[in-house]
Amino acid sequence: MDIFKIEGPTRLCGSVTVNGSKNATLPIMAATILAGGKSVLKSVPHLSDISIFGQLLCELGCKVRRGDNGDLCIDSTVIDNPVGDYEIVRRMRASICILGPLLARCGRTRVSMPGGCAIGDRPVDIHLRGLRELGAKIYLENGYIVAEANGGLRGKEIFLGGSFGSTVLGTANVLMAAVLAKGKTIIESAACEPEIADLANCLNAMGARISGIGSPRLTIEGVEELHPIEYRVIPDRIEAGTFMVAAAITKGQLHINNCRLDDMMAVVDKLRSIGVTIDRADGGCVVAGAGPIGTGHITTQPYPGFPTDLQAQFTALLALGSGNSVVIEKIFPDRFMHVAELNRMAADLRKEGPAVIVAGVKKLIAAPVMASDLRASAALVLAGMAAEGTTIVSRVYHIDRGYEKIEERLNPLGAKIIRENI
Ligand code: EPU
């Protein structure tokens, strides 16, 4: 098992380039199922989640390989085993987004029902409700979701909201099924996240007819078939936001390339109100955190609100703020595994239901801490770079799921992170 030894405090300075988005790539990989043939995806990060998803596609019958230039090539000519096996789905919940495309392409599929994970229960009831509305028969059998559409899928007006708002992968699943359904589908309360817009743009490039992209009302005119594509995925706004916090928490200055600030206005607004300077620059932005870290009130919301995937990193930042802050989690009310670990580093955080009261401290002090999920582990790395002493983060495989070689990208900027296999 790999651990990180992080020596702090350090000040990050220099230029860093954001990779393609993990959460845009995964549903787009699933979308290649819809069109038999060879697709090429560009700007796909080298992450364990991407490899696992590739493995899943291979089990369905696809051929997946990395080209010499790093492109991800998926040949979906043959799909002869439309099954999402428990062994893969339990390792990665995002596997659920093969359900819609497999149903549309094969007319029948079995996908293991995902369980909970470190950030909460994470039900898929809305995915299933949406697919049923399109005419699928869905039932549970031995822990597997069985979906059948023997008479074909039919377009419908569907309200896809739930008690926590829209669902990202639920929208992806229903959208991918609807593009090949007969007639017109309207998805109301669709997720507006840039990753869903990217999926919809990719589907249109494959021949789908989707309008309203980026809005909560998607209109889909079903088509007979799609064709394979070459497509470049958008930059990862969560990785960009993590680098922004890295600049702020180390009182450094980073030029962040390949970053779409327009996708990140809630994040930019929050950082500015905390006292961080963010200026647009060629292809990205320059982020400087020279002054004291202020205080802030953050509530996570569906896009364009503040993203839950940056909640942990901002909590680490506010832990060093000049006073009291409040962080409220409205997407995953249990996503606070980082709180106890940050407190081991002398932060003063108190969890109150789905919120954390943050009393800013003057400094964080290194400690051995344990990563529990992807974003929580990013928060611990950020805290480690700002804390006094050597922080040891164990279970860094969590961070490898979503950040490509993070230490090799932070060290040239001034971080002192050593990966050790113990
Ligand atoms: N929900 C339901 N029923 C459903 C689906 C969702 O009640 O059928 C609830 C969830 O429990 C949650 C809320 O709706 O309270 C939103 O969940 P959503 O479905 O949008 O999450 P997701 O699609 O499973 C994606 C990202 C997550 C990110 C969330 C929210 C991918 C692969 N995953 O998950 O990313 O936190 O959207 O933005 O795109 C991460 O990258 O670290 C990560 C966890």
Side-chain angles (χ1 to χ4, degrees):
M1 188 180 74
D2 283 1
I3 61 163
F4 278 159
K5 282 188 177 164
I6 307 174
E7 211 169 304
T10 45
R11 180 171 180 270
L12 299 196
C13 243
S15 178
V16 65
T17 300
V18 173
N19 284 340
S21 160
K22 163 182 87 77
N23 287 351
T25 302
L26 295 172
I28 287 175
M29 287 174 77
T32 63
I33 294 171
L34 290 164
K38 292 180 186 165
S39 287
V40 176
L41 305 183
K42 295 181 167 295
S43 194
V44 172
H46 291 78
L47 299 171
S48 52
D49 270 13
I50 302 289
S51 313
I52 296 173
F53 208 91
Q55 210 179 315
L56 175 63
L57 293 181
C58 288
E59 289 193 2
L60 305 179
C62 300
K63 293 186 182 125
V64 181
R65 66 175 181 87
R66 282 274 181 179
D68 294 338
N69 54 4
D71 290 351
L72 188 70
C73 309
I74 303 174
D75 182 347
S76 58
T77 307
V78 177
I79 303 251
D80 52 10
N81 179 38
V83 177
D85 196 74
Y86 173 68
E87 281 312 312
I88 291 206
V89 178
R90 78 180 174 83
R91 286 164 69 196
M92 192 178 59
R93 296 189 86 270
S95 312
I96 189 69
C97 67
I98 59 172
L99 185 62
L102 280 179
L103 180 66
R105 169 135 177 212
C106 306
R108 186 176 199 277
T109 174
R110 288 172 68 234
V111 178
S112 175
M113 177 85 157
C117 72
I119 67 175
D121 289 350
R122 308 188 68 183
V124 293
D125 55 314
I126 305 172
H127 301 229
L128 306 188
R129 195 176 79 211
L131 295 174
R132 279 195 183 106
E133 294 264 20
L134 291 174
K137 181 178 167 207
I138 298 184
Y139 53 95
L140 200 65
E141 193 179 74
N142 307 121
Y144 279 73
I145 300 162
V146 182
E148 294 168 347
N150 297 327
L153 297 170
R154 290 193 179 274
K156 181 101 186 276
E157 285 180 25
I158 302 171
F159 178 79
L160 211 58
S163 36
F164 292 93
S166 53
T167 154
V168 174
L169 291 178
T171 302
N173 252 331
V174 178
L175 177 63
M176 287 190 276
V179 290
L180 290 181
K182 275 205 173 61
K184 179 163 139 182
T185 298
I186 292 176
I187 304 178
E188 188 65 83
S189 196
C192 302
E193 271 69 6
E195 294 76 19
I196 292 298
D198 204 32
L199 169 67
N201 285 326
C202 173
L203 288 167
N204 275 354
M206 294 168 76
R209 293 177 58 202
I210 305 165
S211 58
I213 295 174
S215 83
R217 185 182 173 89
L218 293 171
T219 304
I220 303 120
E221 300 284 352
V223 296
E224 288 282 314
E225 58 176 16
L226 300 182
H227 53 78
I229 28 100
E230 189 173 302
Y231 192 80
R232 179 176 296 279
V233 296
I234 55 170
D236 195 316
R237 66 193 166 102
I238 304 304
E239 184 174 271
T242 305
F243 286 138
M244 288 177 182
V245 176
I249 203 169
T250 65
K251 300 195 184 304
Q253 176 163 326
L254 291 181
H255 187 148
I256 303 177
N257 301 303
N258 194 33
C259 152
R260 302 201 316 187
L261 273 196
D262 291 346
D263 288 349
M264 304 181 64
M265 290 321 291
V267 175
V268 170
D269 176 64
K270 207 44 80 181
L271 281 170
R272 284 185 176 144
S273 71
I274 293 170
V276 179
T277 308
I278 303 180
D279 294 313
R280 283 182 191 266
D282 220 11
C285 61
V286 175
V287 182
I293 299 165
T295 59
H297 287 198
I298 291 177
T299 303
T300 64
Q301 285 170 331
Y303 187 84
F306 188 91
T308 172
D309 290 344
L310 284 171
Q311 180 258 111
Q313 299 89 318
F314 270 70
T315 303
L317 177 63
L318 292 171
L320 284 166
S322 55
N324 294 341
S325 298
V326 179
V327 178
I328 302 175
E329 179 53 71
K330 288 237 171 135
I331 307 290
F332 296 114
D334 296 324
R335 194 177 200 175
F336 288 115
M337 301 285 278
H338 46 287
V339 166
E341 299 304 297
L342 289 171
N343 280 345
R344 301 196 70 251
M345 300 177 72
D348 186 351
L349 313 177
R350 192 157 45 89
K351 188 173 162 321
E352 293 275 354
V356 177
I357 318 291
V358 183
V361 293
K362 287 213 161 42
K363 62 178 183 185
L364 294 173
I365 302 170
V369 286
M370 203 186 302
S372 54
D373 73 83
L374 169 55
R375 309 303 172 184
S377 47
L380 298 178
V381 170
L382 292 166
M385 290 191 295
E388 275 180 14
T390 306
T391 296
I392 296 175
V393 182
S394 54
R395 301 191 179 176
V396 299
Y397 58 84
H398 284 294
I399 204 163
D400 294 333
R401 296 184 66 161
Y403 297 88
E404 180 177 331
K405 297 187 179 142
I406 190 76
E407 75 282 18
E408 290 180 23
R409 293 156 78 205
L410 292 173
N411 285 344
L413 307 172
K416 293 178 188 155
I417 307 176
I418 299 171
R419 182 188 289 261
E420 273 181 17
N421 188 265
I422 56 162

